[in-house]
Amino acid sequence: MITDFSIISASPEIMGGTPVFAGTRVPVQTLLDYLKAGESIDDFLDGFPTVTREQVIALLEEAGKQLVGMVA
């Protein structure tokens, strides 16, 4: 589970507790939907300027580590 709170946060007061990029109201699922649809990180960032490239990269790196750890 991703626990770096500088990357994502979840609070009942923000988007009903949906995990969002920290300091924004942008759901993490939105990035995943963009990537699944074949869009680029740049496309996502253009659409959601409150999210930083560093947050996106950190999320993807952490998710990758956790997935590898699950099968190792």
Side-chain angles (χ1 to χ4, degrees):
M1 171 179 278
I2 295 175
T3 58
D4 185 341
F5 296 106
S6 65
I7 301 171
I8 63 171
S9 64
S11 169
E13 292 83 35
I14 300 173
M15 304 291 291
T18 299
V20 297
F21 284 95
T24 77
R25 297 180 63 80
V26 179
V28 171
Q29 185 62 50
T30 303
L31 170 64
L32 301 176
D33 292 343
Y34 263 68
L35 297 176
K36 182 177 172 182
E39 301 291 333
S40 69
I41 291 172
D42 287 330
D43 292 332
F44 173 79
L45 293 171
D46 287 345
F48 300 94
T50 58
V51 179
T52 67
R53 178 174 298 278
E54 292 77 17
Q55 285 176 301
V56 170
I57 299 302
L59 174 80
L60 295 174
E61 286 177 346
E62 184 62 28
K65 287 178 195 174
Q66 291 188 27
L67 285 171
V68 169
M70 290 171 59
V71 297

